[in-house]
């Protein structure tokens, strides 16, 4: 197995990549994002999450890429699909989507050894108004977090920006799961918290690659993992949403590796 080559590690164990290495991340991120674009047409009332996962598995294979999740700690699927009060790591299966269900689809692919990890929200049928608000606030929280990414800022600045936006909308940030460094590995230092204090945590440096993937609940932040040992749900059964991008710190800001080629990152939907 080829190891990370260019760059060095910070004292927090965060890899600093060579500028030339962002091309690999762009290719991996673009594939993951394109697959999330392509699966959108299959999300409809009566569809099963298992069929969505089959489509994703095939799309990864047709691209000549590898799914990062199949075989990861025993996980068996090409995506995580988290419906309604499922916070993350929902397992695709036979359950049919109902009118007004909201779902996160999370895909991670490996292209030439580089990992691309992204997720976004979808809707089956007509979107209830409170779910629309949740999705909008979660999307905006991610993008506001990304705006805080530049050399000299800190991971605490990112978390603080996300937390402030969510809590000012009277929603809550999940503490039990976080973003992560990635590159030639799936989950690397640091833990990217979606809450924090300005100036807290490690300082951002050019060449850091990581995900930002806030999970936001309409109710309380607490989660629990079901007996299948994967599915994380809100303890109070409130609705939960998540968006995820893989990003890199550049000399003067940020590059997003997982931009939607079709401009479909934010869902389009009809509301009641
Ligand atoms: N893609 C998820 C993340 O954002 C990880 C999924 S691991 C799995 O980090 F095994 F549940 F697929
Ligand atoms: Co991730
Ligand atoms: Co992910």
């Amino acid at each position: 197995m080829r190891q990370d080559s260019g760059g060095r590690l910070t004292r927090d164990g965060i890899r600093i990549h060579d500028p030339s290495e962002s091309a690999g991340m762009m290719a991996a991120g673009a594939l993951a994002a394109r697959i999330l674009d392509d699966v959108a047409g299959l999300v409809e009332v009566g569809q099963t999450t298992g069929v969505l996962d089959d489509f994703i598995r095939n799309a990864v294979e047709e691209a000549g890429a590898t799914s990062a999740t199949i075989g990861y700690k025993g996980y068996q699927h090409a995506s995580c699909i988290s419906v309604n009060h499922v916070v993350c790591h929902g397992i695709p299966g036979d359950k049919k989507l109902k009118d007004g269900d909201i779902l996160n689809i999370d895909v991670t692919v490996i292209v030439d050894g580089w990992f691309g990890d992204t997720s976004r929200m979808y809707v089956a049928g007509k979107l209830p108004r409170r779910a629309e608000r949740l999705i909008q606030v979660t999307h905006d929280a991610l993008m506001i977090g990304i705006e805080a990414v530049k050399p000299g800022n800190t991971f605490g600045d990112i978390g603080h920006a996300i937390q402030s936006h969510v809590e000012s909308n009277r929603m809550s940030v999940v503490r039990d799961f976080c973003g992560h460094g990635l590159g030639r590995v799936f989950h690397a230092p640091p833990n990217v918290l979606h809450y924090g204090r300005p100036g807290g945590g490690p300082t951002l440096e050019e060449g850091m690659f990581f995900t930002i993937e806030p999970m936001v609940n309409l109710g309380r932040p607490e989660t629990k993992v079901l007996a299948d040992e994967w599915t994380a749900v809100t303890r109070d059964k409130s609705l939960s949403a998540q968006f995820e991008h893989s990003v890199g710190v550049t000399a003067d800001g940020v590059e997003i590796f997982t931009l939607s080629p079709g401009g479909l990152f934010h869902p389009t939907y009809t509301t009641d």
Side-chain angles (χ1 to χ4, degrees), residues 69 80 89 104-108 116-119 180 186-187 211 213 242 244-246:
T69 56
C80 298
H89 302 164
N104 174 279
I105 306 182
D106 190 339
V107 171
T108 311
D117 185 7
T118 182
S119 80
H180 47 93
F186 196 171
H187 293 113
T211 72
E213 48 182 298
Q242 180 179 26
E244 174 176 27
H245 270 316
S246 299

Side-chain angles (χ1 to χ4, degrees), residues 31-165:
L31 175 63
R34 201 256 290 159
I35 291 171
L36 288 186
D37 279 11
D38 291 347
V39 77
L42 295 182
V43 176
E44 58 191 17
V45 175
Q47 183 64 284
T48 70
T49 55
V51 167
L52 301 177
D53 186 69
D54 289 342
F55 173 87
I56 291 166
R57 183 187 303 248
N58 285 328
V60 174
E61 195 183 315
E62 276 172 24
T66 304
S67 166
T69 56
I70 298 171
Y72 176 78
K73 296 185 176 171
Y75 194 77
Q76 297 292 331
H77 306 273
S79 62
C80 298
I81 304 185
S82 302
V83 182
N84 292 337
H85 75 299
V86 179
V87 173
C88 62
H89 302 164
I91 300 175
D94 294 336
K95 230 175 115 184
K96 289 187 161 83
L97 296 172
K98 301 184 308 296
D99 187 39
D101 280 351
I102 63 168
L103 52 151
N104 174 279
I105 306 182
D106 190 339
V107 171
T108 311
V109 298
I110 313 170
V111 175
D112 292 336
W114 296 100
F115 285 68
D117 185 7
T118 182
S119 80
R120 56 177 96 144
M121 297 302 293
Y122 300 80
V123 185
K126 215 164 171 217
L127 184 64
R129 193 62 73 183
R130 66 204 168 89
E132 181 190 16
R133 263 196 76 226
L134 172 66
I135 288 172
Q136 186 70 45
V137 167
T138 308
H139 171 274
D140 294 350
L142 169 60
M143 300 316 290
I144 289 166
I146 290 173
E147 282 172 24
V149 177
K150 62 175 177 203
N153 277 2
T154 70
F155 282 96
D157 293 330
I158 299 172
H160 179 75
I162 291 168
Q163 180 181 15
S164 300
H165 184 72

